[in-house]
Each structure stands twice: as C-alpha cells, then as structure tokens.
Amino acid sequence: MRKLNFEVLTLFPGILAGPLNESILKRGREKGFLNVTIRNIRDFTEDKHKTADDRPYGGGAGMVLKPEPIFKTFGVMKAEYPGEKFLTILLSPQGSVFNQQRAEQLTEEKRRIVLLCGHYEAIDERVIRTLIDEELSVGDYVLTGGELAALVVIDAVARLLPGVLGDEESAYRDSFGDGLLDYPHYTRPAEFRGLKVPDVLLSGDHDLIKKWRRKESLKSTLIKRPGLLKTADLSGEDREVLEELKKELENGS
Ligand code: 4G0
C-alpha cells in the first residue's frame, strides 16, 4: 500500500485541524493512505514576541513574512527525515492554476509534499527563490491565507488515492475522469410537484441511458464551460454528437 505524505507549514494550524479530522480526509488518514503533518511557523520565530512578519523594504502598505522562521521550519522538518526528498509548493495567487490533471499527477508523487501557506500579502522573495519548487493557485481570487488553498489541494488529491473513497463514492468519481461536466441526476419520486424525471431514466434500457447521459454531459459542458472541450477525452461519436448539439443550440431548439 502506498501512502502520500503532506507537510503543511502555516501560522494558523487551527484552520487546518477541523477539515483534516472530518469525513473522508479523516478516514483516509486513519486507514493510512494519507499522512498530514502540520507545522506552526510561529514555533520557529526568534524573538519573545514571536514576530513572523515585518515592514517591506522600499516602503508601502502591508507586511511581509520574514524569511528566518520559514527557513528554520524547513530546516527542522528536513532534519526529521534524513535522506528524504521534498516537493515544495507555495500556495499563492501568483501560482499556476491547480486543476484535476495536477491533482492526478500529485497522487503519483514519491517525495514529501510541502505546502507553505502565507498569511500576509507577501512573503520574502528569498524564501520563494531558495526553498520553493512550484507556486500553485487554487483560482483567480485572493484569500486571507494559503491554508484554505492547501486544504483544497489535499482534498482533491486524497479522494483520488485508491482506498480513500468507499465503493459507492469511487464509482461516482471514476465516471468523471474524462474532463466533462456531470450529467443531470434524479431520484424518487418520478414526479415531484409536476416536475417529471426524463422518461429514458425509467425505461430500463441501460444502453440508451448511457447514451443520454453522455449527450447531457457534452451539452452541459458545451453551454457552461466550452473551454473544457479542448482537453476533454472525446470519442469520434462524442464529436458527432457535439456537432449536432451545436446546430440544435444555434436553432434555439
Ligand atoms: C498574497 C493562495 C496572498 C500573496 C493564497 C499569499 C489565494 C490563493 C497570499 C501570497 C492566498 C490562491 C505570495 C504567498 C495568501 N490567496 N488563489 N492568500 N503569497 O490559491
């Protein structure tokens, strides 16, 4: 059995504790598929006030995370794992945008994955140049800190590890590895306040249902996120269905 190892370096460990100790992440850790160590950067500050940030050279608003506590945290961490390798990631709005493909790649990572969370507008550039392999963003918006972004990365990767999800959950996951949006889902009753479930889903014709779902996935993707079609895993028949859908949508039918 393989295990993925994360090290999260943060000034606010409390933000991470809750989500890692609930539901699927908790189970994944308990079963030994996932290991997450949280390190408090403030434990490695040098002064009696435990100062982690300071004013920017050159002036201007906002504070900058000091290099010393971060370098020290890295030093202590590395000393705990002699001879081991690390992939160091900074969560930052300046990073390349995290996606399902990067999540899948990280499931294969053999090194310890270090997630450094900043909690101020900036981090001393010498940290980035010297300690960081990769900057990742979870989307084009600014958060108060990198902790929620780190949780997004851990969650997206953990659910892909074999054994972390139960059978029901992983059957659901497997059907969306193709880069398309989901098809519509319905459960009982067959009619609710006059709103009917599509007949095809009650037909018992599993071949027809499969085709309908695929077409609905393609339609939804075409309408809501057409850019995803460029990288989606599409068959020849998918492409034919897409051409039909484009014509239908042009006609407004
Ligand atoms: C600004 C990540 C803010 C700069 C972190 C960190 C959004 C994301 C923060 C940094 C974040 C995201 C340079 C470390 C913290 N906000 N989109 N806030 N640096 O992934």
Side-chain angles (χ1 to χ4, degrees), residues 16-236:
L16 292 138
L20 291 171
N21 290 309
E22 294 282 349
S23 182
I24 291 163
L25 293 182
K26 177 187 186 183
R27 217 171 58 211
R29 295 174 77 197
E30 284 172 352
K31 286 190 186 167
F33 298 114
L34 177 69
N35 174 44
V36 185
T37 302
I38 300 170
R39 294 175 193 269
N40 189 348
I41 295 166
R42 205 175 296 280
D43 292 346
F44 303 95
T45 51
E46 325 249 64
D47 63 315
K48 71 168 184 208
H49 295 110
K50 300 187 188 287
T51 312
D53 61 340
D54 204 344
R55 288 149 46 216
Y57 273 121
M63 297 292 270
V64 180
L65 271 193
K66 291 166 65 61
E68 298 97 319
I70 298 173
F71 272 80
K72 214 164 164 190
T73 310
F74 268 76
V76 167
M77 174 186 72
K78 288 187 173 173
E80 276 181 33
Y81 308 112
E84 286 197 40
K85 293 199 165 111
F86 301 84
L87 169 64
T88 62
I89 296 173
L90 175 66
L91 286 314
S92 159
Q94 272 95 54
S96 56
V97 180
F98 182 66
N99 60 15
Q100 196 65 28
Q101 187 191 349
R102 190 73 190 101
E104 279 164 19
Q105 290 166 352
L106 287 177
T107 65
E108 302 293 321
E109 184 56 57
K110 304 293 183 297
R111 294 167 288 183
R112 284 185 190 271
I113 304 172
V114 181
L115 301 175
L116 176 59
C117 306
H119 213 92
Y120 299 90
E121 296 92 296
I123 189 158
D124 190 287
E125 186 67 17
R126 291 166 289 190
V127 169
I128 304 172
R129 299 273 176 94
T130 312
L131 298 177
I132 297 300
D133 295 320
E134 176 179 356
E135 288 184 79
L136 274 186
S137 164
V138 296
D140 291 334
Y141 42 82
V142 180
L143 301 166
T144 57
E147 289 78 10
L148 294 173
L151 283 169
V152 165
V153 171
I154 294 169
D155 190 280
V157 174
R159 65 184 288 285
L160 297 176
L161 300 173
V164 167
L165 297 188
D167 288 346
E168 288 284 295
E169 297 156 340
S170 61
Y172 186 82
R173 175 199 64 204
D174 290 346
S175 55
F176 306 112
D178 51 26
L180 292 177
L181 299 187
D182 202 0
Y183 52 78
H185 299 261
Y186 295 88
T187 186
R188 291 185 292 180
E191 186 175 338
F192 173 72
R193 298 189 181 179
L195 303 170
K196 290 195 169 72
V197 173
D199 284 334
V200 59
L201 297 178
L202 310 177
S203 70
D205 185 337
H206 295 290
D207 202 51
L208 207 61
I209 291 168
K210 202 174 159 197
K211 279 194 183 123
W212 180 85
R213 285 177 167 167
R214 189 71 184 173
K215 184 175 178 182
E216 291 299 318
S217 273
L218 290 163
K219 191 194 291 176
S220 177
T221 311
L222 181 62
I223 293 168
K224 297 177 184 171
R225 296 290 306 279
L228 293 180
L229 293 170
K230 286 199 284 281
T231 48
D233 193 2
L234 300 177
S235 69

